[in-house]
Amino acid sequence: MSTRLYVDQALPLGQRLSLPEGPARHLATVLRARVDESVRLFDGHGREVEARVTAITRKQVEVEIERECSPMPESPLEVHLGQAISKGDRMDYAIQKAVELGVSEITPLYTERGDVRLKGERAAKKLAHWRGVALSACEQCGRARVPTLHEPCALEDWLSAREEPLRLVLHPGKPGWQDLPEPPEAVSVLIGPEGGLGEAEVERAGHHGFQPLGLGPRVLRTETAPVVALTLLQARYGDLYTS
């Protein structure tokens, strides 16, 4: 597959354009692209094109957009992941893998046992970093539509806003996938922090229509749980091949 890059600008067919600083620097200094090399560009909203490099320096890359590409289709199942915020690379990993597995939306959540609280400039920087993780995952996995990554919010606020027909809260020791209903159009999945959600939080989720769901006998880490849950959802309801 050709190099794929996210470009936050219009991509008019048959025209030349200068790439933004980030993609240009990546092509020129990291990938060491050459003139006449092909590259795929996507706008994050589902459109993808093939372009040819026409000029390149250390700080600037010009391309000519040659043709429209058929982007990878999105999963037929819309999944909104509510992920308790965890420290460092664990949150990055959860977001990266969720994007690779076709998630539609992600909301980082403040929970009772969560040990991360973000405010002001620190919150803005962290959100920008997470969105960068999501963009990089799209470049790697072939998605042309970037999932929505919402600002962090309190668990109760997220719960009260949910309208998906199927709502799941992962909770050890609860029934498994065999008890789920017929395929829904959309699902929300709530995953707690290290140490899990508090009993009161699980009860609150239940008041908002969430069904407790187990993932087997072993307790999974907070960054592992979304990988397993989304894999199972995509295999059962979405576009993950199982044979």
Side-chain angles (χ1 to χ4, degrees):
M1 179 182 290
S2 300
T3 298
R4 299 181 73 253
L5 294 173
Y6 166 73
V7 177
D8 185 18
Q9 64 185 70
L11 301 171
L13 285 177
Q15 295 189 26
R16 294 190 178 189
L17 57 88
S18 293
L19 295 182
E21 180 181 356
R25 185 172 60 249
H26 187 69
L27 268 180
T29 63
V30 177
L31 299 179
R32 299 184 181 277
R34 297 177 180 273
V35 171
D36 288 332
E37 190 169 318
S38 293
V39 58
R40 287 199 173 194
L41 309 175
F42 66 98
D43 64 1
H45 302 289
R47 185 162 179 259
E48 185 164 341
V49 299
E50 186 170 297
R52 179 175 58 85
V53 176
T54 56
I56 188 165
T57 67
R58 287 177 60 87
K59 295 184 178 181
Q60 188 174 17
V61 175
E62 293 184 357
V63 300
E64 181 176 350
I65 300 175
E66 296 186 323
R67 68 182 183 89
E68 200 89 25
C69 299
S70 297
M72 175 187 295
E74 289 291 303
S75 171
L77 178 68
E78 294 185 7
V79 183
H80 190 147
L81 173 66
Q83 176 74 40
I85 301 172
S86 54
K87 288 183 178 180
D89 292 344
R90 289 180 295 177
M91 192 67 178
D92 290 2
Y93 181 89
I95 291 171
Q96 180 189 68
K97 301 311 172 188
V99 172
E100 291 177 25
L101 288 163
V103 74
S104 305
E105 301 179 60
I106 302 172
T107 300
L109 299 174
Y110 298 118
T111 58
E112 177 185 325
R113 295 174 180 168
D115 54 2
V116 178
R117 293 292 184 270
L118 303 170
K119 294 182 180 180
E121 184 178 351
R122 182 167 175 250
K125 287 183 177 180
K126 184 60 73 172
L127 182 60
H129 170 75
W130 288 334
R131 286 174 173 165
V133 171
L135 286 173
S136 295
C138 285
E139 290 178 343
Q140 179 273 320
C141 74
R143 293 182 68 176
R145 186 175 298 277
V146 179
T148 302
L149 212 159
H150 298 280
E151 294 185 3
C153 71
L155 174 60
E156 179 61 30
D157 293 338
W158 186 77
L159 291 173
S160 62
R162 302 279 46 82
E163 296 181 349
E164 291 83 6
L166 178 60
R167 304 165 205 172
L168 303 172
V169 51
L170 301 192
H171 199 51
K174 297 299 180 181
W177 298 91
Q178 65 272 17
D179 299 317
L180 291 182
E182 291 302 309
E185 293 181 357
V187 58
S188 52
V189 180
L190 171 58
I191 295 177
E194 292 293 328
L197 296 166
E199 288 298 328
E201 291 177 316
V202 176
E203 288 183 13
R204 288 300 301 158
H207 291 324
H208 288 284
F210 277 74
Q211 175 181 337
L213 184 72
L215 291 177
R218 289 165 291 279
V219 177
L220 303 180
R221 295 178 66 91
T222 184
E223 71 271 27
T224 308
V227 177
V228 177
L230 291 170
T231 298
L232 291 171
L233 281 170
Q234 292 291 9
R236 179 156 182 170
Y237 299 130
D239 59 359
L240 188 67
Y241 303 145
T242 55
S243 62

